[in-house]
Amino acid sequence: MRGGFEVAELLAAGLVPCLAYAVLGLPWLRPLGIQARGAERLALAFVFGSGSASLAILLLRALGIPLPVWGVGGAAGLVLLAGARLGRGGASALPAPGWARGVDLASAALAVLTFLVACAPETSWDGFEYHLPLVTAWTEGPIRAVPGLLDAEFRAGVDLLYAPMLTSGFPDAAAAVSAGFALALAALVRGEAGRRASPGAGALAGCFTLLVPFSVEAAPTSYVDLGVAAYGFSALRFADRWNRGGAAANLAASALCLGFAANAKLHAAALCPAVLALVLLGGRRPSGRALLRSAGLVALVTAPWFVKVGITAGNPLFPLLPGWLGSGPTDARNLELRRLRLLANYPVERDLSGLARYLASITFGRSVHVSGLLGPLPLALAPFAWWRPSRASLALLAVGSALLVLNFLATPALRFGGPLWPWLAVAAAVGGRRVARSGRAARAVVGAALGLLALHHGVVTAQRYLPRIAALRHPTAYERAMFPDQDNLRRMVARADPVVGIPMGAVSWMPQPVYNLLWERNGELYFVEGTPPGPALALLRRRGVRSLVIDAEPPHPADGRVGHALVDAWLARGRAEIAEDVHPLPARGQRVWVLVRLVSTETRR
Amino acid sequence: MPVEPPSDPPPLSGVRLVLGLLWISAVVLLHLAVRELGVNVVP
């Protein structure tokens, strides 16, 4: 149980870096001609600040320079001392009605709640299996190739923002960065919808952005999808500003955001041709020189990651083009299997009916894609935004549709289409305002729909968020309740000789160094029947593995085996032994966790 | 600062308005039915 002071330390560890990232973005605002005001301006400071801070962290951690929370806070203090200020931006916004201020207050309360629950323990699978372990490895040592951790070869621009929290011993606070991106997205949607519809519609769109299941599920995790969404949406937004008569600085701002998005996840590089198409089709074609300058900015911002991955994986585009550029220490077949596995993760036919099913599932389905939902408001209200679209709007629609089809074909999951969904919120705001202006009955129906959905989303949010508030003081009890089998795995690992091989799981919970036996994570070992036992054991020994905690189903391990072909082969050859002195603990279903010790060569002699 | 005036589509009226309100009600109620009543009409 944490005391009050420890909880305060935890919250500070989450808050200080996020505020620091926003402060580090302040110097960008004036050169980029950012006209936004208030919360939207602060959100853009966070977008530019986090993207540039991530590059600075990449450089500093490559040199092995530690990055505690106070260090990042100190850097932000220096920026403030140097005179950086948020400023006021452009002309005043249109006056908001009184009720909109009430909605903004609700959004502010929701923002505080989102930040608090983000500081509760990580219980999302990708978060504790590789996002946090990856940054842990890069805070315990410099940024480098980490054998047995394939994810260390992918872009990790958002992951690196967790470094101050992990360096300072507060891994639970890492997801505060995701909460920061959720808040930034809400503020960006509020500003954009406020301009295109009305300040009241903008306030509602911002509030619902925080309240929809997509944000509620992603904000308290160290998944990086909200960051990609914020960078990608900003890139499209600035390009659209240019199309609508904005200054040339919008092109530079868009290019920077494109670079940050690609640094966070390489698949977001697909936004580069999309943004290029947007400005070429939007009716205000930039000069070749301006396009070259923007391309140069993208290259400049993404270059550090190309260099890093080129050095550690041997292929600067890793994991792309392994046949031409090589796959480094990773078996090329492993990469191909990962690709196939990704496709198999989303079993929907890639045709028109599949597209319809996908859209229905992310709108109000049962979220089979572990991505949350958009909720029904875009479908209910956005169609009414259609009215004599300008060329810029048509270009945006065309590019957005193409990106949606790409999202559907490649990885049909909501969280991989993050840059697109804020546009649906904006369109819903415009459409909703149109309907609400269509008479008293229409206003009543829109009000009732918004009220019902706010109530429903609010109850779902409370069910998910409130237990996490209690978890700030009682993190272990919360983890134990969420994943009892993983807690038992943690207990078994505590009694094993490190490094401990585990089949997969909550790596970041483990009290000792572990080696993930899952081929998708380690990139080098297929822990399955058919793999030659001798070379597999030699590989584990090279990685320092001395014991395994394995899940076994009855009649194992009473029959002297554990049901995993490789381990059973080692047991049969006397190269491993089941630890009789450590009692198995329950895993999932009928399975139990069993400790297996690898017999060292010296012992056998 | 807006670089263009807010989108200002005209209000709906007549059949369009009635159909529009039915559409909004249907989508929201379908969402609640799927999420809370277990109506299995979408994946």
Side-chain angles (χ1 to χ4, degrees), chain A residues 70-466:
Chain A
W70 63 263
V72 182
L78 290 177
V79 171
L80 285 176
L81 280 177
R85 294 290 181 270
L86 184 61
R88 295 181 60 84
S92 297
L94 298 171
W99 61 263
R101 293 197 195 97
V103 175
D104 281 341
L105 270 179
S107 298
L110 198 52
V112 172
L113 187 63
T114 304
F115 167 76
L116 288 176
V117 300
C119 292
E122 178 64 80
T123 52
S124 293
W125 202 262
D126 291 5
F128 58 31
E129 195 172 65
Y130 64 89
H131 285 298
L132 292 181
L134 160 67
V135 189
T136 300
W138 284 347
T139 52
E140 291 172 347
I143 289 179
R144 64 203 184 282
V146 186
L149 185 53
L150 176 57
D151 295 277
E153 301 303 344
F154 299 149
R155 266 61 175 173
V158 170
D159 303 66
L160 282 186
L161 298 172
Y162 312 149
M165 293 81 160
L166 271 73
T167 301
S168 301
F170 295 100
D172 287 355
V177 172
S178 289
F181 280 118
L183 270 50
L185 276 169
L188 292 173
V189 165
R190 177 179 175 272
E192 195 66 21
R195 274 189 298 276
R196 294 180 187 243
S198 69
L204 282 166
C207 188
F208 272 96
T209 299
L210 283 179
L211 208 52
V212 293
F214 174 50
S215 300
V216 169
E217 291 202 13
T221 75
S222 52
Y223 280 42
V224 301
D225 303 290
L226 287 174
V228 176
Y231 294 138
F233 174 61
S234 300
L236 292 165
R237 172 193 176 281
F238 283 117
D240 181 70
R241 289 284 96 194
W242 160 262
N243 284 349
R244 293 171 196 273
N250 283 290
L251 293 174
S254 180
L256 285 172
C257 293
L258 282 176
F260 297 151
N263 286 347
K265 260 192 179 178
L266 193 53
H267 85 247
L271 288 166
C272 293
V275 166
L276 178 63
L278 184 58
V279 295
L280 290 180
L281 297 173
R284 193 173 172 230
R285 185 172 292 209
S287 67
R289 194 171 174 176
L291 287 177
L292 271 179
R293 203 165 41 231
S294 297
L297 269 178
V298 175
L300 191 68
V301 170
T302 53
W305 276 101
F306 283 112
V307 172
K308 181 267 167 200
V309 179
I311 291 172
T312 57
N315 168 1
L317 294 179
F318 186 89
L320 304 179
L321 307 178
W324 292 356
L325 299 173
S327 58
T330 308
D331 185 350
R333 288 173 304 170
N334 189 296
L335 297 178
E336 176 61 12
L337 273 175
R338 275 179 68 100
R339 195 183 67 78
L340 295 173
R341 169 104 162 95
L342 250 183
L343 290 175
N345 265 352
Y346 309 106
V348 56
E349 292 298 323
R350 304 304 202 272
D351 55 19
L352 277 179
S353 75
L355 178 61
R357 286 178 59 222
Y358 170 55
L359 293 178
S361 77
I362 63 176
T363 299
F364 39 38
R366 291 194 173 72
S367 185
V368 294
H369 304 308
V370 204
S371 289
L373 295 172
L374 282 182
L377 275 181
L379 184 63
L381 298 178
F384 302 104
W386 183 263
W387 171 254
R388 295 182 184 169
S390 62
R391 178 158 176 175
S393 296
L394 284 175
L396 188 58
L397 189 64
V399 167
S401 303
L403 285 170
L404 176 65
V405 170
L406 187 64
N407 164 243
F408 166 68
L409 292 176
T411 46
L414 188 67
R415 66 190 178 92
F416 296 125
L420 298 177
W421 316 133
W423 290 111
L424 295 182
V426 173
V430 174
R433 179 171 182 262
R434 182 187 189 189
V435 177
R437 288 174 60 232
S438 304
R440 193 173 293 175
R443 203 158 36 247
V445 169
V446 172
L450 292 176
L452 263 177
L453 287 176
L455 183 66
H456 183 251
H457 287 329
V459 169
V460 173
T461 300
Q463 286 171 339
R464 180 161 169 84
Y465 276 5
L466 293 183

